[in-house]
Amino acid sequence: MRELALHILDLVQNSLEAGASRVLLEIIEDSGADTLTIRVSDDGRGMDAETRRRVIDPFVTTRTTRRVGLGLPLIDMSTKQCGGYLKIDSTVGRGTTVEAVYRHSHLDRPPLGNIAATVKTLVIANPDTDLIYRHSVDDAVFTLTTRELTEILGDMPLTHPDVIVWLDEYIAANEANLYGGVQHENS
Amino acid sequence: MKTVEDLKRMREQFQSQTKLRHAGGIQIIVGMGTCGIAAGAREVMSAILDEIAKRKLQDVTVRQTGCIGMCEKEVLVDVVRPDEPRITYGKVTPAAVSKIIGEHVVNGRIVEELVVGKISQ
Ligand code: FES
C-alpha cells in the first residue's frame, strides 16, 4: 500500500474486528525527533503473546489467523525500511495498542496520503464505535471524535447528505491547517 | 471554512420525521479487510458517500465490515433493501458505484452483471 492512510484504515479495522467499542487513533509528526508515529489503541479482546508474535509473521498469517491482521506484516516491513519499528502491546480482555514509527524524512517513507478519506470512512461507517482521532504536527493539533459529532447530531444520521458534505470540508480544512494551511505532501 | 457551529445549525434545521424512514432504510456494506483496502475499498466508500450526498439520499446507511474471504472479487459491496435478498457486488470500482446507487439503491433494479452473490433473508 502506497499510503500510510490506507495502513491506518487497516489497523483500525483490526481493532473493530477485535470487538473494540473505543478506538484512539493518533498520528504524531515531530520534526524535532524526525519521526512520524501512528498509534492505534483499542479496548478490544486483545491477544496473547503467541498470537501477537504470529500476527507480524507473514508466513504464519494464514487463512485461520488473517482475521487478526494480514496487514501487520506489511506495516512491520514498511517501518523497518524507513528506520522505524512496529510495536504491539496487548492484554487479553483489555485491548491492544499498535505503534508504527517511521523516520519522517526517510526517502522511502510512504506519504500520509488521503487521511481525510480514511477518517471520514471510519466515522461514518462505524457510528456505534467511539473513535477518537488526534493528529498533531509539532504543536498544532486536530482532534475529531465520533462522540462529539453524535452528541450534536442526536437523531440526525452521520450518513445524512449534508453531514457528509460538512465532514468532507471540515476534515480537509483542519488537516490543511495543521501544516499552516500551506501546500503539503498530502494536498 | 466549515465549523462545528455549522453542524449545530444543520441539526436545528433537520426534520426528525426522516428518522422513521431511516430505521427501515437501505443498507450498504463495504468489505474493508486488508486486501479489500489494497484493492481500493476506501475509494469505493468515498464514491458511495459522494453519491449519497449528490443525490441527497436520506434513508441509506453505510457500514464497513472486515474480510469476506473472496480476495479475487474485491472490492466487495453488499446492498440490502428491506425485505429483499442481500445482494453482493464484486470488483466494484468508483465508476461502478454511480450505477449501483442509481439502479439498485434508488430504483430497486439489481445490476446483474456485477453480482457475485445473493442471500435470501
Ligand atoms: S480481505 Fe479480502 S479476502 Fe480477506
Side-chain angles (χ1 to χ4, degrees):
Chain A
M1 292 188 216
R2 269 305 299 157
E3 287 182 19
L4 296 181
L6 291 179
H7 283 309
I8 289 169
L9 187 56
D10 190 50
L11 283 175
V12 177
Q13 177 61 39
N14 288 344
S15 295
L16 297 170
E17 288 188 39
S21 58
R22 180 178 178 279
V23 181
L24 169 63
L25 161 60
E26 295 167 282
I27 302 171
I28 304 150
E29 298 186 59
D30 182 336
S31 58
D34 190 24
T35 51
L36 189 159
T37 302
I38 295 163
R39 196 184 298 131
V40 176
S41 328
D42 68 51
D43 62 356
R45 68 181 74 89
M47 294 179 273
D48 56 29
E50 168 61 16
T51 311
R52 208 163 56 228
R53 224 176 8 256
R54 268 196 334 230
V55 291
I56 56 166
D57 186 336
F59 298 107
V60 263
T61 305
T62 61
R63 278 190 95 74
T64 46
T65 55
R66 72 182 168 195
R67 285 186 55 84
V68 282
L70 191 74
L72 285 166
L74 293 173
I75 299 172
D76 187 37
M77 219 170 59
S78 85
T79 53
K80 282 180 182 143
Q81 283 165 355
C82 304
Y85 60 86
L86 175 75
K87 197 174 110 200
I88 303 174
D89 270 322
S90 194
T91 311
V92 174
R94 280 246 164 128
T96 301
T97 297
V98 177
E99 185 177 85
V101 178
Y102 296 81
R103 179 119 336 261
H104 201 297
S105 62
H106 198 288
L107 279 176
D108 294 327
R109 179 181 65 78
L112 185 53
N114 196 345
I115 189 66
T118 289
V119 172
K120 187 175 73 158
T121 295
L122 289 170
V123 167
I124 295 182
N126 305 282
D128 304 325
T129 307
D130 193 9
L131 179 82
I132 302 143
Y133 169 66
R134 191 168 183 282
H135 183 180
S136 65
V137 178
D138 295 326
D139 291 336
V141 189
F142 169 44
T143 307
L144 181 84
T145 72
T146 307
R147 180 164 296 169
E148 188 193 1
L149 297 177
T150 50
E151 268 171 14
I152 294 172
L153 288 172
D155 61 352
M156 187 178 191
L158 280 160
T159 39
H160 190 286
D162 296 344
V163 178
I164 294 176
V165 172
W166 179 86
L167 258 178
D168 259 338
E169 297 183 21
Y170 183 72
I171 298 174
N174 279 285
E175 283 294 326
N177 252 351
L178 286 178
Y179 302 97
V182 293
Q183 284 285 318
H184 55 89
E185 66 172 33
N186 310 311
S187 62
Chain B
M1 175 172 151
K2 296 281 179 195
T3 64
V4 172
E5 294 312 311
D6 295 327
L7 188 67
K8 288 183 180 154
R9 231 168 285 131
M10 228 150 65
R11 173 66 191 89
E12 278 156 24
Q13 285 157 14
F14 174 71
Q15 304 291 318
S16 278
Q17 85 263 9
T18 51
K19 194 204 167 192
L20 290 173
R21 285 166 48 212
H22 201 80
I26 300 161
Q27 255 187 296
I28 303 178
I29 304 146
V30 182
M32 294 247 181
T34 304
C35 65
I37 295 171
R42 193 193 60 190
E43 282 59 41
V44 166
M45 174 66 88
S46 293
I48 291 169
L49 297 176
D50 287 350
E51 205 65 32
I52 290 174
K54 202 172 80 194
R55 294 174 187 262
K56 300 212 172 298
L57 304 178
Q58 303 223 356
D59 57 351
V60 178
T61 53
V62 182
R63 290 292 148 99
Q64 78 182 69
T65 185
C67 172
I68 301 172
M70 289 198 281
C71 278
E72 65 287 353
K73 300 263 170 57
E74 304 274 5
V75 175
L76 292 153
V77 175
D78 282 9
V79 173
V80 196
R81 291 171 56 94
D83 309 317
E84 288 178 27
R86 173 181 187 139
I87 304 297
T88 301
Y89 291 106
K91 294 199 180 283
V92 177
T93 57
V97 164
S98 162
K99 186 160 189 192
I100 293 172
I101 302 246
E103 289 288 305
H104 192 182
V105 173
V106 175
N107 290 310
R109 288 192 296 262
I110 295 166
V111 185
E112 296 290 348
E113 72 266 25
L114 294 172
V115 173
V116 294
K118 269 184 210 182
I119 302 172
S120 313
Q121 28 183 232

